Amino acid sequence: MSVSLCLTGISQKAAGPKLGKDPVSKVVAAMTLQEKASLVVGTGMRMMGMPRRDSTNRNRRGNANQGPEANRPPVLVQGAAGTTYSLPGLGITPMVYTDGPAGVRISPTRPNDDNTYYCTAFPVGTLLASTWDVDLVKKVGQAMGNEVLEYGCDVLLGPGMNIQRNPLCGRNFEYYSEDPYITGNIGAAMVEGVESEGVGTSIKHFDANNAETDRNTLNTIVSERALREIYLEGFRIAVQKAQPWTVMSSYNLINGTYASENHDLLTNVLRKDWGFKGYVMTDWFGGKDPVAQMQAGNDQLMPGNPNQIQAIIDAVNEGKLDEKVLDKNVTRILTGMLMSPRFKGYKYTNKPDLVAHAEVTRKAASEGMILLKNTSSTLPFDKEIKNIAAFGNTSYSIITGGTGSGDVNEAYSVSLIEGLGNAGYKVNGDLNSLYDTYLKLTKEGRPRRRGFMAMMGSGPIDEMSLNNDIINGMAENTDAAIITIGRNSGEGRDRKNVKGDFQLTDQEQQLIKDVTTDYHAKNKKVVVILNIGGPVETASWKDLPDAILLAWQGGQETGNSIADILSGKVDPSGKLAVTFPVKYEDVPSASTFPGKELPTDQQANGPMAAFQRSLPAEVTYNDGIYVGYRYYETFNVKPSYEFGYGLSYTTFDYSNIKLSSTRFSKSLTVTVDVKNTGSVEGKEVAELYITAPAKELDKPVIELKGFAKTRLLQPGESQKLTFTLDSRSLASFDTPSETWVAEAGQYVVKVGASSEDIRQSASFTLSRDIRVKKVTNSLAPKVTIDELKPPVR
Ligand code: BGC
């Protein structure tokens, strides 16, 4: 009996228990095996070449769909990533899942429909983390959640919470940081914000999915300590603080087992150790074996196909899968469904307040942009600066976010020159026309990407070479210059350490040289704006411009948000949640990223090959726990811009550090006064690091264990910031005993403006070891990993 035939015949029960009216256990008890198996598998996804479906289940020509398509339920929200089956006889409604971290990703237009369904493109994750402001991130989440709700979706497939292990990961822009503490806290705020609208989130990609190359086949070999302290910790914090409705397992294998088939990961760690109460779904087409996935605690397979349903039914019938396991998976999904707007019958409007949300994104973006350099108070621009020359392609063609499933279909985006215009600046028209013509001609000459390739965007356009007369003329006729450098990346591919990607191109270097020479000769200022989703090389050119603003990718209002900072309407208060190394070779994972492909007969030219590679591959995380600043600070490698760094238009003084006690028992409070000592209002991010004794376990020199952002402080105004440390803040993971241990000894609390700009410190002692938490024996690698060992302190 084929599955597709069965699916049309199920769920017709008139009497019997109904979800919502009867306990979930009764509903599960009344379900047939067929019904259970169809609930744990999504309804599929339209791939290239498949007939389109609309709500009448008819194809583009208006004829009823034929074949397997005919039996698939109609699309409920066009362009949403996935849907689940409904079983009306049991009161079970479908659920609609939509990407992604930077906003809702659905089709903006629909056939035979004059309405539009645009969504707000919010700032990318990396920018949101750079705000270090959990309240602000909650507000962004709430606005995003409202669009999920009003466009008829149930769960947002985000936030993305993987650790930025290496600056070249193609999806870093979707992720928050190289540090798990800020990742977990910003992630929890996002979950709370989105879910406050009565819709769900799916924190992803769980776990150790830190590269895109061969992402479906990559075996990540990593020690349990590095997993626990770095790669799992952010997820743990988000789960325990915010209990997201769902978790999305990742594509990769961890120590030999697919994440979605990994019982250690999804049952022992996620549920037993952390107490996760929701359900787990796979990443799209992730993993191989539906039965192993069910057994591991991966409750739902997305986007789903009928073969998976059949495999589950067969396995139960053949005694290979205990139906009780399936009952658990089903119970978890139904428990989540009870909270969903579609189940509750919410009448969505398809009309979220996009104007209000544009304000949210404009403000959030300006709070996460980072002032990297500002010699002689170049910024904010003086009142006399009115005429600006905007150099660089990206000044005219702003990058609002990355590519792939993390991209959003927004109604408009504000370019830099539009933003400058809105702020009252005059952007030089001659230069503008030159760029317009150049960009138009170059774009016309490029092949159009279609299908999956279109999702990846088209690579950067080379900068045109501008002769010195033009630049000189600009220096003569304008008051200041801006040079925008742009980079984009996304799903399915990693970035490269080459010119035009991590490194600047020769033309970009030349442009910076020529523009700064000519403007400086006339005593005029040059500002470089970095419109990027992940670090680029800065050390070789950063001395040249007068100011550098790291704008990240700020969503649809990027141009306005940048102009708000340049004009001084907003004081920059973002700080780096990721290190900018001097050179790529300094990155601790430079020699192992993204991994190595293993000998195989397989060809890399399947249907998806252009979009992503999928050859057997492995990577060994021999950097262990020394990721990001944990490495740079411990191994004395000087970065170009360190973790936690960021300037303001004002200055802050830190004073009066106080500990509630100099002996630690259960918890300890740290207070610090932060005073605005400059002449304009501003906000300061204060970071709390701990230096722990390295007795039995080696430890990074510093680890972030708290952060706080002041309110907007007027000149002369102070605020007392309070941080609380618990025994977990002092603990490291001791693998042999599977226990988080806080070792006895002296601890130094360091509060500062960056990881290298510590302004106040104090110490306390812990008189005896605290065994903070014993966890399950999980995820051990099968081989010994030769991990980095820190220099003796
Ligand atoms: C991505 C996920 C995304 C899913 C659905 C996958 O390719 O890895 O992040 O949520 O597609 O679009």
Side-chain angles (χ1 to χ4, degrees):
M1 186 165 49
S2 90
V3 172
S4 48
L5 283 179
C6 291
L7 284 177
T8 55
I10 56 179
S11 328
Q12 304 304 325
K13 300 170 180 127
K18 294 266 183 302
L19 188 67
K21 296 206 174 66
D22 298 285
V24 170
S25 56
K26 268 204 163 170
V27 177
V28 177
M31 288 171 83
T32 64
L33 174 57
Q34 169 79 54
E35 287 168 335
K36 290 175 192 170
S38 61
L39 188 71
V40 297
V41 177
T43 64
M45 185 179 179
R46 196 187 79 89
M47 301 289 286
M48 272 177 297
M50 280 187 177
R52 267 178 205 286
R53 290 173 295 139
D54 61 16
S55 57
T56 62
N57 210 6
R58 288 177 178 273
N59 65 22
R60 233 188 300 220
R61 273 169 243 100
N63 303 322
N65 280 318
Q66 305 289 320
E69 281 294 296
N71 293 319
R72 278 174 47 189
V75 168
L76 295 170
V77 178
Q78 300 261 338
T83 309
T84 64
Y85 283 104
S86 67
L87 301 167
L90 294 155
I92 294 174
T93 51
M95 302 263 280
V96 176
Y97 302 152
T98 177
D99 282 305
V104 174
R105 178 177 167 81
I106 56 174
S107 306
T109 54
R110 296 176 185 174
N112 311 320
D113 182 347
D114 292 337
N115 297 309
T116 56
Y117 303 83
Y118 287 105
C119 299
T120 306
F122 293 95
V124 298
T126 306
L127 184 149
L128 291 178
S130 309
T131 66
W132 299 68
D133 185 339
V134 287
D135 296 328
L136 182 74
V137 172
K138 244 181 238 175
K139 284 186 194 131
V140 173
Q142 192 178 355
M144 216 184 281
N146 181 259
E147 293 187 22
V148 177
L149 179 73
E150 294 304 345
Y151 279 131
C153 303
D154 298 283
V155 175
L156 179 81
L157 304 175
M161 294 191 52
N162 294 100
I163 290 295
Q164 298 179 354
R165 172 177 179 249
N166 183 290
L168 301 186
C169 171
R171 290 184 90 170
N172 274 349
F173 71 95
E174 296 188 59
Y175 306 146
Y176 292 131
S177 171
E178 66 192 21
D179 174 81
Y181 182 82
I182 183 166
T183 295
N185 283 284
I186 296 288
M190 179 54 79
V191 169
E192 284 169 7
V194 173
E195 296 197 351
S196 70
E197 288 290 303
V199 295
T201 54
S202 193
I203 61 174
K204 68 187 187 185
H205 309 90
F206 192 58
D207 186 46
N209 181 183
N210 313 100
E212 287 298 291
T213 310
D214 295 307
R215 63 178 177 159
N216 287 280
T217 40
L218 185 69
N219 180 21
T220 302
I221 301 169
V222 49
S223 71
E224 187 181 349
R225 179 170 179 198
L227 279 169
R228 295 274 184 185
E229 291 190 15
I230 306 292
Y231 300 101
L232 292 167
E233 182 63 2
F235 285 99
R236 179 194 69 81
I237 295 170
V239 163
Q240 295 191 333
K241 276 201 157 173
Q243 275 294 346
W245 291 13
T246 82
V247 168
M248 185 190 290
S249 57
S250 56
Y251 286 128
N252 52 291
L253 300 88
I254 303 173
N255 293 327
T257 309
Y258 279 106
S260 63
E261 299 174 11
N262 205 315
H263 189 271
D264 272 6
L265 181 72
L266 303 180
T267 296
N268 289 354
V269 172
L270 182 62
R271 292 177 162 117
K272 289 193 187 144
D273 293 339
W274 301 350
F276 174 61
K277 301 203 168 44
Y279 64 94
V280 176
M281 66 175 81
T282 58
D283 197 347
W284 268 228
F285 309 99
K288 282 220 165 111
D289 177 354
V291 176
Q293 289 171 315
M294 292 296 114
Q295 284 164 335
N298 195 121
D299 308 296
Q300 203 163 50
L301 312 183
M302 294 306 295
N305 76 55
N307 297 338
Q308 292 170 314
I309 300 180
Q310 194 62 56
I312 290 168
I313 293 172
D314 291 348
V316 173
N317 288 335
E318 289 160 18
K320 291 181 188 146
L321 174 65
D322 187 343
E323 197 165 344
K324 288 207 186 80
V325 170
L326 195 57
D327 287 350
K328 249 195 205 168
N329 304 124
V330 168
T331 302
R332 292 188 192 121
I333 296 169
L334 293 181
T335 309
M337 186 179 292
L338 284 170
M339 301 185 279
S340 70
R342 184 162 272 96
F343 176 79
K344 291 180 176 166
Y346 181 75
K347 301 266 176 294
Y348 54 93
T349 59
N350 279 325
K351 300 234 169 323
D353 189 346
L354 296 179
V355 175
H357 298 172
E359 266 311 302
V360 174
T361 185
R362 176 173 179 166
K363 179 166 175 10
S366 67
E367 300 254 336
M369 292 180 179
I370 302 168
L371 187 63
L372 293 178
K373 178 176 180 184
N374 196 20
T375 335
S376 325
S377 301
T378 297
L379 293 176
F381 283 138
D382 289 343
K383 292 275 168 285
E384 297 79 65
I385 293 191
K386 295 196 171 74
N387 295 307
I388 293 176
F391 294 90
N393 298 334
T394 320
S395 290
Y396 301 89
S397 163
I398 205 87
I399 302 166
T400 56
T403 62
S405 63
D407 195 3
V408 176
N409 297 311
E410 67 269 32
Y412 67 88
S413 60
V414 180
S415 73
L416 176 65
I417 55 159
E418 286 163 341
L420 290 170
N422 295 342
Y425 294 102
K426 203 167 164 312
V427 179
N428 185 278
D430 294 340
L431 192 58
N432 192 345
S433 317
L434 261 183
Y435 272 100
D436 280 352
T437 314
Y438 172 73
L439 289 172
K440 189 164 171 274
L441 287 176
T442 320
K443 279 182 190 159
E444 276 170 7
R446 299 180 133 204
R448 259 192 78 195
R449 290 169 176 246
R450 295 176 191 281
F452 274 108
M453 293 302 286
M455 274 175 72
M456 295 169 59
S458 322
I461 291 176
D462 284 342
E463 289 296 338
M464 61 178 156
S465 50
L466 290 168
N467 71 41
N468 258 338
D469 290 346
I470 297 178
I471 300 178
N472 231 322
M474 287 300 138
E476 186 67 47
N477 295 320
T478 61
D479 305 323
I482 288 176
I483 306 170
T484 311
I485 305 289
R487 291 289 185 272
N488 208 357
S489 71
E491 189 172 352
R493 276 195 188 181
D494 291 309
R495 297 173 54 208
K496 290 200 161 57
N497 175 29
V498 294
K499 291 179 181 173
D501 201 337
F502 183 73
Q503 301 165 37
L504 266 53
T505 61
D506 295 343
Q507 293 108 315
E508 287 168 334
Q509 294 271 11
Q510 198 60 48
L511 186 66
I512 296 176
K513 266 188 210 131
D514 293 346
V515 173
T516 48
T517 307
D518 287 2
Y519 274 75
H520 289 169
K522 300 203 160 50
N523 217 7
K524 292 179 182 175
K525 300 289 173 53
V526 178
V527 179
V528 168
I529 293 174
L530 295 174
N531 181 201
I532 57 182
V536 293
E537 185 276 321
T538 49
S540 66
W541 56 268
K542 68 180 182 181
D543 288 345
L544 297 176
D546 305 280
I548 305 174
L549 178 68
L550 170 53
W552 293 122
Q553 297 167 339
Q556 67 186 44
E557 291 279 332
T558 297
N560 283 333
S561 306
I562 294 175
D564 286 344
I565 291 183
L566 300 183
S567 66
K569 188 175 162 198
V570 173
D571 177 71
S573 61
K575 292 198 177 179
L576 287 175
V578 58
T579 306
F580 273 50
V582 168
K583 53 185 188 307
Y584 178 69
E585 291 71 21
D586 289 346
V587 176
S589 53
S591 62
T592 53
F593 180 89
K596 55 174 194 286
E597 285 174 352
L598 304 171
T600 175
D601 296 340
Q602 262 170 263
Q603 299 293 311
N605 59 358
M608 301 279 281
F611 175 57
Q612 62 185 14
R613 295 176 73 82
S614 260
L615 293 177
E618 67 178 35
V619 57
T620 302
Y621 285 10
N622 59 8
D623 40 339
I625 58 168
Y626 294 99
V627 175
Y629 70 88
R630 284 169 168 76
Y631 171 78
Y632 297 102
E633 299 307 316
T634 310
F635 289 74
N636 291 316
V637 178
K638 185 90 188 124
S640 183
Y641 294 109
E642 77 271 14
F643 180 85
Y645 173 83
L647 301 173
S648 157
Y649 293 154
T650 185
T651 49
F652 297 95
D653 185 50
Y654 291 56
S655 64
N656 206 18
I657 189 166
K658 286 211 174 81
L659 306 185
S660 56
S661 167
T662 51
R663 301 202 147 266
F664 186 91
S665 55
K666 281 207 174 80
S667 78
L668 196 137
T669 311
V670 182
T671 55
V672 176
D673 294 337
V674 175
K675 181 174 181 189
N676 181 349
T677 49
S679 54
V680 293
E681 60 184 24
K683 295 178 184 174
E684 170 73 337
V685 172
E687 302 148 36
L688 184 150
Y689 299 89
I690 280 195
T691 300
K695 216 173 51 164
E696 300 294 326
L697 297 168
D698 60 74
K699 293 192 185 148
V701 163
I702 50 165
E703 288 191 276
L704 183 76
K705 295 295 172 183
F707 62 87
K709 194 165 192 170
T710 66
R711 61 175 183 269
L712 190 65
L713 295 177
Q714 297 304 316
E717 201 186 347
S718 311
Q719 185 179 348
K720 189 177 285 303
L721 299 176
T722 306
F723 308 86
T724 306
L725 299 173
D726 57 15
S727 50
R728 181 76 187 216
S729 326
L730 315 186
S732 300
F733 188 72
D734 177 49
T735 310
S737 66
E738 298 286 348
T739 305
W740 286 88
V741 181
E743 289 186 326
Q746 194 185 50
Y747 288 76
V748 188
V749 177
K750 300 173 174 172
V751 180
S754 85
S755 56
E756 294 191 351
D757 186 7
I758 301 302
R759 306 285 186 87
Q760 292 270 288
S761 54
S763 38
F764 62 87
T765 50
L766 177 63
S767 48
R768 55 184 177 79
D769 289 0
I770 306 179
R771 306 187 73 73
V772 179
K773 172 134 177 96
K774 169 124 177 111
V775 294
T776 57
N777 179 359
S778 297
L779 295 166
K782 298 184 180 74
V783 291
T784 315
I785 302 171
D786 192 14
E787 284 183 344
L788 278 182
K789 285 273 163 283
V792 179
R793 277 203 241 153

